[in-house]
Amino acid sequence: MPLNETDRAWIRQEIQSAHRRRGLGKFTGFIKDWGGTSAAVAIVIFAFTQWGAYVQFRTHTGDRLDTIEHTIYSLQRSQVTSHLQSAEEEAKAGQVATANAQLRMAAESLQTLASGHVPAPPSFFQQSVERVDRLSSLGLNNASANQALMALAEYRSALQQSPNFPPSSWRVVSLPMTTSEIAEQFSKQSGLTVLRAANPDVQFFATPTGNAITVQNIVFIGGKQKLDGFTWVGVTFVGTKISFDGTYPAALDRTLFVNCTFDVSNQPHATPLLEYAALADAGTLQLNP
């Protein structure tokens, strides 16, 4: 029997209602069926349970990524340790050339770590310095040992946190200051002075030719500085090229090197400076020619 007009109208209404219940319509239908209060409670419960799961997922993912990152760092540092251990074994076996090659590879690995600012604990630097010291006593040449120590010093320096001073407090240095200028302006100051080199080739202080000069409480930014002839007290070098050729004695007292590079000879008098920087020693050090 054919449908009458009333039945057809009812069917069309049901079809339209079903379409509306898809997607958002389904959600609004849920609210209508359950009532406003009950639906609101259900929505709140749903939101809290799903948000908790999301936070838990993010936390666990972050923990796993941190673990992976620390593992990678450990593997990168272990390459240095492996090279130093191999160098020591080869040196004890009388294979000096092979030991020197292992030292050079250790230095290259350290340079990679420094450029990537890969974190390392103080114990890593302490143990590495001790290994290089032992290698020096086994007959390896000073050039290879100092190259490794220099890489250690620059790596440790790259990890030091730089002090933050507003540019308005900087004093720009364009030419090396003379001995008389240094003695007059900086030998007895009590406050902190921030000096910035006008360009990387500027040396802040000219080397004294007479008695040693004591300078204190200065932050040097950029440029370069020869340590000879000065007693450096409470001084911080930031991004400075450091040199010491042993022409005159020098002394360090609570001197910090931040992101610095070192240009020193392969002579034994440079070794204490490199070890001081590699260990970030906050004490005192006498450097002799």
Side-chain angles (χ1 to χ4, degrees):
M1 182 178 66
L3 296 174
N4 58 37
E5 188 58 34
T6 301
D7 292 335
R8 290 176 180 176
W10 178 82
I11 291 173
R12 284 195 299 269
Q13 182 179 355
E14 288 300 310
I15 292 174
Q16 291 171 356
S17 177
H19 278 295
R20 285 196 300 269
R21 280 178 170 266
R22 293 179 182 175
L24 184 60
K26 187 175 182 180
F27 179 71
T28 56
F30 166 80
I31 294 177
K32 290 179 181 178
D33 293 341
W34 283 80
T37 303
S38 299
V41 172
I43 292 169
V44 170
I45 294 173
F46 174 81
F48 271 102
T49 55
Q50 292 302 310
W51 179 255
Y54 171 74
V55 171
Q56 187 178 27
F57 168 77
R58 287 293 301 271
T59 301
H60 289 171
T61 301
D63 290 342
R64 286 194 293 270
L65 289 175
D66 287 343
T67 301
I68 293 171
E69 186 177 59
H70 287 305
T71 301
I72 292 173
Y73 291 159
S74 179
L75 289 172
Q76 289 175 315
R77 294 192 301 268
S78 68
Q79 287 183 326
V80 175
T81 302
S82 177
H83 287 312
L84 293 178
Q85 287 176 337
S86 297
E88 189 171 358
E89 292 170 1
E90 296 292 344
K92 289 179 178 178
Q95 303 297 321
V96 176
T98 306
N100 283 326
Q102 288 291 334
L103 261 182
R104 288 192 293 271
M105 286 190 283
E108 291 171 0
S109 296
L110 286 166
Q111 290 167 357
T112 300
L113 293 171
S115 63
H117 292 82
V118 176
S123 59
F124 169 81
F125 294 97
Q126 181 68 48
Q127 293 167 5
S128 298
V129 167
E130 291 173 356
R131 288 186 183 279
V132 176
D133 281 345
R134 289 199 297 269
L135 285 166
S136 298
S137 66
L138 291 173
L140 271 69
N141 62 56
N142 287 327
S144 297
N146 271 23
Q147 184 181 12
L149 283 176
M150 189 181 302
L152 276 167
E154 292 182 353
Y155 179 22
R156 186 62 178 270
S157 182
L159 299 182
Q160 297 295 333
Q161 186 172 2
S162 177
N164 187 19
F165 299 101
S168 58
S169 66
W170 297 353
R171 174 178 169 182
V172 178
V173 177
S174 301
L175 295 171
M177 301 184 69
T178 64
T179 301
S180 58
E181 290 174 326
I182 299 166
E184 179 182 348
Q185 299 182 40
F186 301 110
S187 62
K188 296 181 180 180
Q189 71 165 1
S190 56
L192 181 69
T193 299
V194 181
L195 301 180
R196 183 178 69 83
N199 62 71
D201 295 324
V202 171
Q203 177 163 307
F204 291 98
F205 293 168
T207 302
T209 55
N211 296 329
I213 296 178
T214 298
V215 293
Q216 58 186 359
N217 302 328
I218 301 177
V219 175
F220 297 90
I221 301 176
K224 59 184 181 180
Q225 182 59 51
K226 182 180 289 187
L227 301 181
D228 301 61
F230 290 95
T231 295
W232 307 92
V233 181
V235 167
T236 299
F237 293 98
V238 181
T240 307
K241 185 176 183 179
I242 303 297
S243 61
F244 174 67
D245 59 20
T247 304
Y248 301 100
L252 306 178
D253 182 0
R254 291 167 286 124
T255 302
L256 182 63
F257 302 98
V258 180
N259 204 30
C260 291
T261 57
F262 295 85
D263 180 18
V264 298
S265 69
N266 292 323
Q267 299 304 313
H269 65 253
T271 300
L273 167 62
L274 297 175
E275 292 184 349
Y276 184 94
L279 298 175
D281 195 340
T284 60
L285 174 67
Q286 180 65 43
L287 297 171
N288 297 311

